[in-house]
Amino acid sequence: MTMNGHSHHTVHIANSTNPNDEDDDDNAFSRSSSSAADDNNNHREDDDEELVDPDDPFDITHTKNVSHDTLRRWRQAALVLNASRRFRYTLDLKKEEEKEQKKHLIRAHAQVIRAALLFRLAGERELVISTAVSPPTPVGDYDIGLEQLVSMSKDQNISALQQYGGIRGLSNLIKSNPDKGISGDDADLLKRKNAFGTNTYPRKKGRSFWRFLWEAWQDLTLIILIIAAAVSLTLGIKTEGLAEGWYDGGSIAFAVLLVIVVTAVSDYRQSLQFQNLNSEKQNIQLEVIRGGRTIKMSIFDVVVGDVIPLKIGDQVPADGVLITGHSLAIDESSMTGESKIVHKDHKTPFLMSGCKVADGVGVMLVTGVGINTEWGLLMASISEDTGEETPLQVRLNGVATFIGVVGLSVAVLVLAVLLGRYFSGHTRDIEGNVEFVAGETSVDNAVDDVIKIFTIAVTIVVVAVPEGLPLAVTLTLAYSMQKMMADKALVRRLSACETMGSATTICSDKTGTLTLNQMTVVEAYVGSTKVNPPDDSSKLHPKALSLINEGIAQNTSGNVFVPKDGGEVEVSGSPTEKAILSWAVKLGMNFDVIRSNSKVLHVFPFNSEKKRGGVALKLGDSKVHIHWKGAAEIVLGACTHYLDSDGQLQSIEEEQEFFKKSIDDMAARSLRCVVIAYRSYELRKVPSSEQELDQWSLPEDELVLLAIVGIKDPCRPSVKDAVKLCSDAGVKVRMVTGDNLQTAKAIALECGILASNEDAVEPNIIEGKKFRELSEKEREDIAKKITVMGRSSPNDKLLLVQALRKGGEVVAVTGDGTNDAPALHEVFECPKPVVNFKFSVINVPSVLDVTIITFDLTFGIQMQLVVISDDVLSADIGLSMGIQGTEVAKESSDIIILDDNFASVVKVVRWGRSVYANIQKFIQFQLTVNVAALVINVVAAITSGDVPLNAVQLLWVNLIMDTLGALALATEPPTDSLMRRSPVGRREPLVTNIMWRNLLVQAVYQITVLLVLNFHGESILPKQETRADSFQVKNTLIFNAFVLCQIFNEFNARKPEEMNVFRGVTKNKLFMGIVGATFILQIIIIQFLGKFTSTVRLDWKLWVTSLGIGIVSWPLAIVGKFIPVPKTPLARYFMTPLRRFKRSRSRATQ
């Protein structure tokens, strides 16, 4: 395949690594930014190395971009009773494969179109139309129909576009204006939507409640219990009649149905929360030109005929054609599947919906929306609700599997003991009679008794296997994500919530995150004269004023709209652009007139590497002006002259120090300094052909300084407190900005990132260039000391993140995409090539692990080498800005900060810690119930051949412990105490020593009291009329006391480390509601549902006794917290020697 006589080849090389390699990079975690904490980190890193077990399928600290094989491995290792429910919110591997197949089909279509286009253009310097195209056919209110528009866009038919009269002709056909867009009134919009469709696509409906009910029914143990209940019901009715015989089987069936319904309701509520969050993620906001003014709107409101400006990092919102563009490069990988950048111009003007702007600027005319685009078809054909694993979810599956194996073993033991005792004649009924006598007991009675024994064993499995434990993560994440929306944070990846709880450092942008992003020009120098006030144009020479206005009006991506009715002038663009444009408007700039007086020849869009942007203009008298605007010291360094107060050119050498001092003075007062400069150029030196013009590098030497402006962007009022909160929480805040180092230092001091001027020395503050020039080892050595990095490029930020992560830090990075989304261009010359060629490296930050190397060889072959490397480390958590962030940045990020406020970033850290803390609360509560219930039933079964807690009672306990317990504890709001702890290490055990102490104290107490009641209750409790009554009262009291113990212990689980477990309890209405409802239902069960649960009514004295047994758990919890626990987690005492042994064995076999 050739293009303009050039062969084109693409090679993909992927570095394959061990699936566990990425885990090994995260074995150490910094607990604090202090030097003492750094020493602790080194010890912990060594300890964590011992905890890494390559054979453990649940040992996954990262689920971001993890391989499907790794995911399959842990799922296959998990003990699961209900796979459809357990894995509902994990990545659906089968659907993922189907999605990739559908993407492949649609992408193949896009590639075929491109191939055809390249074939037609092969070897041609100019486009030659050879294909006949039918003239446009009027349909309704428009001179062209939907089918012709869609056909032109999808087939990228350049012949059709020219047949329709080019951009101007096409815009006339769809009644639009390439400069001002459509009118945008309601009647016009309605007509367009009716004629060409809306920018939406059919979405698959979410699961219905009945689907959740069906999935809850899939639990293997519940199915077994239902079958057992059915058999018991049949035998009961047969032997005892319908009136009495249905209770045993019916009560089990009812209890199972209750569990299923409550589970389904809980799961359905979660799904609705996720659906609401998904709709928020898809609602992209973008700028559209309508009626000559730039307005912001939802992507769903875009219609055919809209004119949309595009800049670096934007997503192309619909199919369209390019009106004007400069250095516009589009990343079409989302549609074509190829990691390559496609340059757009009048020869290849078609833009595909869903693609990203990698470089340059442009303006597009929308020709296709919604389902009439390839992107719309792709989105409509694939399911978006694919879910994802989170590290905590995987680890909890490991915990659940371990507990489940223990529970299953106990259940089998209980089953064997009960069956052995029953058939050997050692089991007696409540009257003291032997239940089974060989040759005398009827088959029906024996079968019924065996079913009851089997039912108890199965119910023990139901209680023992904590099916809801991994799902508690989803529950708390769904709750947290919903609440985080109110705190101005939109979570795109579930795992990011958890990871933020482990964050040890935050690398933050300055502009808009630490500052208000409300920029105004407060100081200005024109030539060597300070203009005070800065917008007093009377103090400027007309020549200087004219050149300044010309440079600002043309060298901008912003816009100025002047209403015809004389209303207030509307300025749009980035905050910096708006500030400079507003200043020029106050100086008297007529934006539209100036732009119409000159023609733009070439644009160099603002580049975060070069930190400047330029434009070449052809004036009416054939003169050429080249205007530059950018970072003060960089543009000033390229200036050789300046315009004095009389409009005369003067050499800058004598005033160089004055200008530098002026910039430093403004930077020290935390002003952003921008220099505006220009130079004249000869028209004959400007490339004449369009192809050469596209490749032309604007001259950036011998510039004439026009103005230096100081832009004020005040610090956010809340940021100083937020930074201090992070510091107290062991999270170090680092500022990484493209601004002047002096400006960055001033803002850092104002925000509290730097404590004092004494701290503002290297390497605490450093320029990106200096950091970049260090060796990898040197970067790793000083990375932890860096607090402020100024004049940083996206690559510098990436290098800092890599160095910090290699040092064991868990890094959160904020980015607005303006600095983080542009492609990086660097050119390398080979010293002695075999074939003379040069190549450029393009690193695409939206996918940080992709490098594209383009080779241009002398004999006309162009080759692209796409290198996908696993060595490039991106941040642990990516945070993008919701207001100023580009779509590339948002799509690449894990969490979107909707108000661009650093205080909201700190709230995310708080919520991340809350997720982990809530899961630990639930684990402590659930394990206490598990241990107590299992020990009580096992001991009772072995010693007496009967269990005090029957199947229905255990199902009720399971409901309290599992679904209701998760709802109560996993939805606890975050507290201030969470931010007074150190970050949570990702390899720290889920069950801490403190939790072991708490749960063992409670479990031992419950087991002791209830076993005493089980064996001596009949003698301790008041005498009843018959032994059967005494037996039933005793078992009822055990059941009642056991449930009340769990209710009171639920309060203890709220605050595992605090004495006052009631603090803030009334603020959590859901917790109070669940505890209250559980208590009321327990009263109803005991007093009115005895037939179903095999219990009897208790008098007030026994209720007081039950309450007394339960309430003792409160003072007991306080006493237990005085018991000291070792700092080293118990798991390390057992697991470290085991893993050392495994490693030595594996080395010995190698």
Side-chain angles (χ1 to χ4, degrees):
M1 190 185 302
T2 60
M3 180 176 180
N4 295 336
H6 293 220
S7 299
H8 182 80
H9 309 273
T10 303
V11 183
H12 294 270
I13 301 175
N15 293 348
S16 59
T17 58
N18 189 296
N20 293 310
D21 284 352
E22 66 174 320
D23 296 345
D24 294 339
D25 292 326
D26 306 309
N27 296 339
F29 301 92
S30 292
R31 305 287 290 185
S32 168
S33 56
S34 66
S35 58
D38 290 340
D39 292 337
N40 290 337
N41 285 341
N42 294 332
H43 293 302
R44 289 185 59 198
E45 188 172 353
D46 294 337
D47 291 340
D48 286 344
E49 284 293 337
E50 299 294 344
L51 288 175
V52 178
D53 185 0
D55 298 324
D56 183 358
F58 301 105
D59 189 9
I60 302 174
T61 56
H62 271 298
T63 55
K64 199 173 177 179
N65 303 323
V66 74
S67 70
H68 286 190
D69 289 340
T70 305
L71 299 181
R72 283 194 187 92
R73 188 169 166 240
W74 80 257
R75 293 182 196 186
Q76 289 166 357
L79 176 63
V80 182
L81 300 178
N82 186 347
S84 59
R85 182 169 182 249
R86 176 81 72 90
F87 300 130
R88 178 185 297 132
Y89 293 112
T90 58
L91 188 68
D92 190 323
L93 300 179
K94 187 177 179 182
K95 279 188 180 177
E96 196 68 9
E97 289 170 1
E98 290 174 358
K99 185 169 82 172
E100 287 305 314
Q101 289 173 358
K102 289 176 181 176
K103 278 184 178 179
H104 178 74
L105 289 173
I106 292 173
R107 284 170 172 173
H109 180 243
Q111 288 171 333
V112 167
I113 291 168
R114 179 189 289 170
L117 181 64
L118 293 176
F119 182 76
R120 287 173 54 193
L121 293 176
E124 298 177 9
R125 292 289 178 186
E126 297 295 331
L127 184 69
V128 179
I129 302 173
S130 58
T131 308
V133 178
S134 59
T137 306
V139 177
D141 295 308
Y142 301 95
D143 295 328
I144 189 170
L146 173 63
E147 287 186 13
Q148 286 180 302
L149 269 182
V150 171
S151 174
M152 178 193 71
S153 297
K154 284 191 177 180
D155 296 340
Q156 300 194 5
N157 192 334
I158 199 87
S159 302
L161 178 61
Q162 294 202 350
Q163 182 79 17
Y164 300 152
I167 298 296
R168 288 280 170 190
L170 180 63
S171 62
N172 290 334
L173 293 176
I174 55 178
K175 297 187 177 179
S176 181
N177 184 303
D179 303 315
K180 296 185 177 180
I182 62 173
S183 64
D185 58 69
D186 291 341
D188 181 37
L189 292 176
L190 184 61
K191 285 179 184 176
R192 291 179 185 279
K193 287 176 182 177
N194 289 335
F196 304 114
T198 59
N199 202 27
T200 57
Y201 48 86
R203 290 197 183 93
K204 294 183 178 179
K205 289 183 179 179
R207 291 186 177 101
S208 67
F209 173 72
W210 302 109
R211 174 74 180 273
F212 285 97
L213 206 60
W214 173 252
E215 287 184 356
W217 180 268
Q218 303 303 304
D219 192 307
L220 179 62
T221 50
L222 295 183
I223 293 170
I224 293 170
L225 286 176
I226 284 289
I227 294 169
V231 175
S232 178
L233 188 66
T234 305
L235 291 172
I237 293 171
K238 182 181 176 183
T239 54
E240 299 177 39
L242 182 61
E244 294 292 328
W246 70 277
Y247 281 114
D248 283 347
S251 58
I252 294 172
F254 178 76
V256 170
L257 290 173
L258 182 65
V259 169
I260 288 170
V261 170
V262 172
T263 301
V265 169
S266 173
D267 292 348
Y268 182 60
R269 285 182 69 255
Q270 281 181 57
S271 76
L272 293 179
Q273 290 174 333
F274 281 122
Q275 281 179 34
N276 294 335
L277 289 167
N278 281 334
S279 62
E280 285 290 335
K281 291 178 195 174
Q282 294 156 355
N283 190 16
I284 296 169
Q285 298 294 310
L286 71 159
E287 289 184 340
V288 177
I289 299 171
R290 285 185 180 173
R293 67 198 299 179
T294 304
I295 58 175
K296 206 153 195 174
M297 65 170 61
S298 166
I299 191 172
F300 302 129
D301 295 329
V302 170
V303 295
V304 168
D306 266 328
V307 172
I308 300 176
L310 299 173
K311 59 184 182 299
I312 295 170
D314 283 352
Q315 176 175 313
V316 179
D319 280 2
V321 289
L322 185 66
I323 299 172
T324 59
H326 300 282
S327 307
L328 186 65
I330 304 293
D331 176 9
E332 294 186 347
S333 58
S334 58
M335 282 306 304
T336 64
E338 293 182 16
S339 299
K340 75 176 191 176
I341 308 300
V342 180
H343 292 273
K344 295 292 179 180
D345 52 29
H346 82 278
K347 290 184 179 180
T348 54
F350 291 100
L351 300 166
M352 288 192 287
S353 177
C355 299
K356 307 295 186 300
V357 180
D359 200 3
V361 292
V363 179
M364 70 174 284
L365 175 70
V366 174
T367 59
V369 293
I371 200 69
N372 298 315
T373 67
E374 296 283 6
W375 181 255
L377 285 172
L378 180 63
M379 290 296 101
S381 65
I382 62 176
S383 172
E384 294 166 7
D385 185 23
T386 54
E388 88 172 274
E389 271 84 340
T390 74
L392 197 52
Q393 203 173 17
V394 176
R395 290 179 69 190
L396 282 174
N397 270 285
V399 173
T401 298
F402 175 75
I403 298 170
V405 169
V406 172
L408 196 59
S409 305
V410 168
V412 171
L413 177 65
V414 169
L415 180 65
V417 169
L418 290 180
L419 287 175
R421 290 183 65 93
Y422 177 77
F423 286 112
S424 63
H426 289 83
T427 304
R428 298 177 181 272
D429 60 21
I430 56 176
E431 300 291 347
N433 302 318
V434 176
E435 286 193 341
F436 179 81
V437 179
E440 295 181 13
T441 304
S442 67
V443 174
D444 285 350
N445 286 339
V447 170
D448 195 29
D449 289 340
V450 168
I451 286 173
K452 285 178 183 176
I453 292 170
F454 184 72
T455 302
I456 290 168
V458 172
T459 311
I460 287 174
V461 175
V462 174
V463 175
V465 178
E467 195 71 11
L469 188 56
L471 295 170
V473 181
T474 315
L475 180 64
T476 189
L477 286 174
Y479 167 79
S480 300
M481 286 166 70
Q482 191 180 34
K483 294 294 183 183
M484 283 166 76
M485 279 291 291
D487 281 343
K488 304 300 180 185
L490 173 61
V491 178
R492 288 178 52 82
R493 288 182 62 87
L494 286 176
S495 56
C497 264
E498 296 171 14
T499 313
M500 279 303 284
S502 301
T504 59
T505 188
I506 299 172
C507 295
S508 174
D509 277 344
K510 175 185 76 68
T511 307
T513 309
L514 298 170
T515 61
L516 286 168
N517 223 0
Q518 296 171 0
M519 298 192 186
T520 49
V521 173
V522 296
E523 201 162 317
Y525 289 84
V526 176
S528 58
T529 307
K530 183 175 181 178
V531 183
N532 193 10
D535 53 5
D536 186 356
S537 60
S538 64
K539 297 180 180 179
L540 305 182
H541 189 276
K543 182 180 178 182
L545 181 61
S546 173
L547 286 168
I548 288 169
N549 286 340
E550 181 183 274
I552 292 173
Q554 290 285 21
N555 189 18
T556 182
S557 59
N559 190 33
V560 177
F561 175 74
V562 181
K564 291 179 181 178
D565 58 7
E568 192 175 338
V569 174
E570 296 176 16
V571 180
S572 60
S574 71
T576 307
E577 294 283 12
K578 284 169 72 174
I580 295 173
L581 284 169
S582 298
W583 175 62
V585 168
K586 290 174 184 175
L587 289 175
M589 176 188 71
N590 190 320
F591 187 77
D592 292 329
V593 171
I594 291 173
R595 287 173 75 94
S596 64
N597 285 342
S598 55
K599 178 188 175 185
V600 175
L601 296 174
H602 188 57
V603 174
F604 180 84
F606 180 84
N607 184 292
S608 56
E609 276 291 291
K610 294 196 172 184
K611 308 228 174 274
R612 56 190 179 273
V615 62
L617 306 175
K618 180 183 177 184
L619 307 182
D621 54 4
S622 296
K623 288 183 180 177
V624 174
H625 283 174
I626 295 171
H627 287 272
W628 284 96
K629 178 179 70 184
E633 69 274 21
I634 294 175
V635 179
L636 181 65
C639 293
T640 55
H641 295 81
Y642 71 96
L643 278 183
D644 64 13
S645 56
D646 297 324
Q648 299 299 313
L649 275 180
Q650 302 291 342
S651 173
I652 206 168
E653 287 184 11
E654 294 178 6
E655 299 291 341
Q656 190 86 27
E657 289 305 314
F658 168 78
F659 290 129
K660 285 182 178 178
K661 186 176 182 302
S662 300
I663 291 169
D664 288 342
D665 288 346
M666 286 192 280
R669 284 178 281 120
S670 68
L671 301 185
R672 169 177 280 189
C673 302
V674 175
V675 163
I676 299 166
Y678 97 109
R679 65 164 291 171
S680 296
Y681 202 67
E682 294 181 35
L683 182 60
R684 61 184 179 81
K685 292 183 180 179
V686 177
S688 54
S689 72
E690 187 173 336
Q691 189 173 0
E692 289 176 347
L693 195 62
D694 284 344
Q695 302 298 321
W696 184 39
S697 295
L698 288 182
E700 46 188 311
D701 56 345
E702 299 181 10
L703 302 184
V704 177
L705 173 67
L706 296 176
I708 304 172
V709 294
I711 302 171
K712 180 68 176 174
D713 186 12
C715 262
R716 290 182 181 272
S718 58
V719 79
K720 195 163 189 175
D721 291 337
V723 169
K724 185 179 184 305
L725 198 61
C726 280
S727 181
D728 293 343
V731 180
K732 184 173 177 64
V733 180
R734 307 171 200 270
M735 182 199 291
V736 186
T737 176
D739 268 352
N740 180 303
L741 194 59
Q742 294 303 315
T743 305
K745 171 188 163 184
I747 290 285
L749 286 166
E750 196 177 338
C751 294
I753 292 172
L754 285 173
S756 64
N757 273 309
E758 286 70 36
D759 293 335
V761 293
E762 281 196 12
N764 290 351
I765 66 170
I766 193 171
E767 276 202 345
K769 183 182 178 183
K770 192 161 188 179
F771 180 72
R772 190 189 319 149
E773 289 169 351
L774 297 174
S775 67
E776 187 176 343
K777 182 69 173 68
E778 289 171 328
R779 286 199 297 266
E780 288 176 32
D781 290 340
I782 72 161
K784 285 193 178 184
K785 298 174 185 175
I786 293 172
T787 304
V788 176
M789 183 183 284
R791 285 289 178 241
S792 71
S793 69
N795 199 42
D796 299 331
K797 183 185 277 191
L798 181 59
L799 290 172
L800 177 62
V801 170
Q802 289 175 5
L804 287 169
R805 287 196 66 204
K806 285 180 180 177
E809 300 275 359
V810 181
V811 188
V813 177
T814 70
D816 59 10
T818 306
N819 291 334
D820 305 309
L824 308 179
H825 300 273
E826 297 179 32
V827 176
F828 302 89
E829 294 289 344
C830 293
K832 291 182 179 178
V834 178
V835 182
N836 182 31
F837 70 94
K838 67 178 182 179
F839 64 92
S840 62
V841 176
I842 306 172
N843 183 24
V844 187
S846 60
V847 275
L848 288 169
D849 54 353
V850 174
T851 301
I852 303 170
I853 303 176
T854 304
F855 295 87
D856 286 305
L857 288 86
T858 52
F859 45 83
I861 295 178
Q862 186 187 73
M863 183 174 80
Q864 276 199 340
L865 182 68
V866 182
V867 183
I868 303 171
S869 172
D870 293 329
D871 300 328
V872 180
L873 301 173
S874 57
D876 294 282
I877 315 108
L879 305 162
S880 64
M881 300 297 110
I883 299 172
Q884 290 301 321
T886 61
E887 282 314 308
V888 166
K890 290 176 188 176
E891 194 170 287
S892 306
S893 67
D894 303 306
I895 298 172
I896 300 172
I897 306 301
L898 298 173
D899 61 353
D900 291 15
N901 191 344
F902 184 77
S904 299
V905 176
V906 180
K907 287 176 184 175
V908 172
V909 175
R910 202 162 169 255
W911 276 107
R913 294 187 176 192
S914 176
V915 167
Y916 196 87
N918 284 350
I919 293 302
Q920 287 188 312
K921 293 170 188 176
F922 180 55
I923 290 172
Q924 179 180 310
F925 173 69
Q926 191 167 50
L927 284 182
T928 306
V929 184
N930 275 11
V931 171
L934 288 177
V935 172
I936 290 166
N937 271 5
V938 168
V939 172
I942 291 173
T943 54
S944 66
D946 196 11
V947 288
L949 300 172
N950 63 35
V952 177
Q953 293 168 0
L954 283 174
L955 284 171
W956 170 235
V957 168
N958 183 65
L959 198 60
I960 297 171
M961 173 187 75
D962 210 336
T963 308
L964 297 178
L967 273 172
L969 292 170
T971 56
E972 277 279 312
T975 58
D976 292 337
S977 62
L978 290 170
M979 295 302 284
R980 290 192 288 270
R981 302 178 188 173
S982 296
V984 180
R986 282 183 288 190
R987 288 195 186 276
E988 286 194 4
L990 283 170
V991 186
T992 64
N993 291 358
I994 288 171
M995 291 167 64
W996 278 120
R997 177 196 64 196
N998 294 346
L999 75 88
L1000 287 174
V1001 165
Q1002 294 293 331
V1004 168
Y1005 164 70
Q1006 291 177 22
I1007 290 165
T1008 304
V1009 171
L1010 298 181
L1011 284 179
V1012 167
L1013 282 175
N1014 186 60
F1015 294 117
H1016 304 289
E1018 292 176 43
S1019 59
I1020 296 171
L1021 298 173
K1023 293 284 184 182
Q1024 301 296 320
E1025 291 181 5
T1026 63
R1027 190 185 173 201
D1029 291 341
S1030 297
F1031 184 82
Q1032 284 190 311
V1033 168
K1034 176 199 74 172
N1035 278 2
T1036 302
L1037 181 64
I1038 290 172
F1039 169 58
N1040 199 37
F1042 183 69
V1043 170
L1044 292 179
C1045 278
Q1046 310 322 317
I1047 291 174
F1048 287 111
N1049 191 39
E1050 212 156 353
F1051 286 88
N1052 294 331
R1054 289 184 67 247
K1055 308 282 183 184
E1057 298 179 35
E1058 295 180 30
M1059 293 295 180
N1060 184 3
V1061 297
F1062 303 105
R1063 182 182 295 154
V1065 70
T1066 54
K1067 293 179 182 177
N1068 190 345
K1069 293 178 181 177
L1070 184 60
F1071 179 88
M1072 294 302 292
I1074 287 171
V1075 169
T1078 306
F1079 185 64
I1080 290 168
L1081 285 170
Q1082 181 65 16
I1083 294 172
I1084 293 170
I1085 286 169
I1086 297 298
Q1087 299 301 111
F1088 304 107
L1089 299 177
K1091 284 276 190 182
F1092 288 98
T1093 55
S1094 302
T1095 56
V1096 294
R1097 290 187 179 185
L1098 299 178
D1099 58 29
W1100 68 271
K1101 293 177 184 176
L1102 292 177
W1103 267 104
V1104 169
T1105 304
S1106 301
L1107 286 167
I1109 292 169
I1111 211 165
V1112 167
S1113 65
W1114 285 347
L1116 189 67
I1118 294 172
V1119 172
K1121 284 167 186 171
F1122 286 103
I1123 301 172
V1125 294
K1127 288 186 178 180
T1128 304
L1130 292 175
R1132 298 199 180 189
Y1133 288 115
F1134 301 105
M1135 300 307 294
T1136 303
L1138 178 64
R1139 285 174 179 169
R1140 282 177 180 165
F1141 174 72
K1142 280 186 178 179
R1143 286 182 180 180
S1144 63
R1145 286 282 303 272
S1146 63
R1147 289 192 191 105
T1149 55
Q1150 285 175 357

